[in-house]
Amino acid sequence: MSDTTSPIPVLRGSGGATLQAEDDTLVWSRRRKEKRFPLRAVREVRAEGRALTVELTAPPGTTPAVYRVRGVSATAATVFADAVTASLPEERELDGTSLVTEGATVESEDDAYRRKVKLGAWALGLVTVGVAAPMAIVGSTLAAMAFLLWTPLSVGAAVFGVWVMRVPYDEWRLPRYGITVEARRESRGSYAYTDLHGVVRGAAVSGSAPTIMVAYDPEDLGPVVRAKSWIGKVGTTLFCLAILLVGLALVLLDVYIAVFGFQD
């Protein structure tokens, strides 16, 4: 098997299941758990339409263990099956299950963020419906409909307002406690700077000058901000604060709708 440049596709199926090839191992993941099958433990890999089946080797007279990923691309499943089949070794283990290892998947920051967003959206939806339903029964149906439609908008605006406040926070914090260096303009809205280890990194900051000063945290290379004057930082702070206040005002209006709806 080849390394990370392998053309073998990663199969993503229903229920969050994935199957991918890593060197001489197949990795089957689902619900934050994974199983690793060395190719010496695999008897057959076959595409079955929009599903792919991995059958492990088994002693004669016993039923082999089978793992499936459903809901994948039929084309990708065929390519995956053909490529893995061509890589299966001639000598394989008699009982493939003895080579299978299990463990928990390492959740990436992006996956964790998406999971939190989904949980938050579900919680918001349940709370909204839980308030709107009794409001329509004992109070005003019109207010219940308004609450049902207004709540996601108001809460979303408030969350966005909290999120944008990170911008002025970083603009005040990083020039004082981080590292400030000169950055060279690469393209519109994109600059490049060299960190303490001599690595050239990109910075998505506004500006049109050939060079500007940017600040970053050497312990966290994520946020990079343009080093502004205190007047510029005050302007950014006031603008972001206005966005936050608008979001909070919308939430207060939503609370008023709920109170009014139950009193009608």
Side-chain angles (χ1 to χ4, degrees):
M1 297 290 289
S2 56
D3 55 16
T4 55
T5 62
S6 170
I8 301 177
V10 176
L11 301 182
R12 301 183 182 276
S14 56
T18 63
L19 182 66
Q20 64 186 96
E22 293 184 358
D23 297 326
D24 60 347
T25 304
L26 299 183
V27 182
W28 181 85
S29 305
R30 187 178 184 185
R31 296 175 182 173
R32 302 184 68 181
K33 294 183 179 181
E34 71 176 22
K35 294 180 182 290
R36 304 180 71 89
F37 315 127
L39 293 186
R40 293 190 299 113
V42 178
R43 177 181 179 273
E44 183 183 12
V45 178
R46 56 181 181 273
E48 301 171 338
R50 296 194 60 195
L52 186 129
T53 298
V54 177
E55 182 178 315
L56 304 185
T57 58
T62 62
T63 302
V66 174
Y67 297 86
R68 289 187 177 87
V69 179
R70 295 183 173 85
V72 301
S73 164
T75 301
T78 300
V79 172
F80 188 99
D82 291 345
V84 174
T85 298
S87 302
L88 292 177
E90 294 184 2
E91 296 184 1
R92 278 170 268 181
E93 189 73 15
L94 180 62
D95 184 6
T97 57
S98 64
L99 298 181
V100 176
T101 57
E102 300 184 9
T105 59
V106 178
E107 188 176 38
S108 66
E109 292 185 1
D110 290 340
D111 290 338
Y113 175 77
R114 284 191 291 267
R115 179 172 57 82
K116 292 177 181 177
V117 169
K118 289 180 180 179
L119 289 176
W122 274 106
L124 176 61
L126 291 175
V127 171
T128 302
V129 174
V131 174
M135 186 189 304
I137 296 173
V138 304
S140 170
T141 303
L142 182 61
M145 291 297 297
F147 181 83
L148 195 64
L149 297 175
W150 190 257
T151 299
L153 175 63
S154 62
V155 174
V159 171
F160 178 72
V162 173
W163 180 77
V164 297
M165 287 303 298
R166 177 63 185 267
V167 176
Y169 172 75
D170 285 335
E171 287 188 354
W172 287 100
R173 177 181 65 91
L174 292 178
R176 184 173 182 179
Y177 299 105
I179 304 295
T180 301
V181 295
E182 187 177 70
R184 183 183 66 258
R185 189 171 189 265
E186 297 290 316
S187 60
R188 184 175 181 179
S190 177
Y191 283 78
Y193 69 96
T194 304
D195 66 14
L196 295 177
H197 304 288
V199 179
V200 178
R201 300 184 181 276
V205 295
S206 61
S208 58
T211 59
I212 61 173
M213 302 302 292
V214 298
Y216 70 95
D217 186 345
E219 302 298 328
D220 180 8
L221 298 178
V224 179
V225 299
R226 182 173 181 175
K228 298 180 180 178
S229 65
W230 72 269
I231 296 179
K233 290 185 287 189
V234 168
T236 302
T237 302
L238 292 176
F239 177 76
C240 294
L241 186 60
I243 295 176
L244 175 61
L245 292 177
V246 169
L248 295 177
L250 294 178
V251 172
L252 290 177
L253 178 58
D254 197 44
V255 173
Y256 173 79
I257 292 174
V259 174
F260 171 78
F262 279 106
Q263 292 180 347
D264 192 12

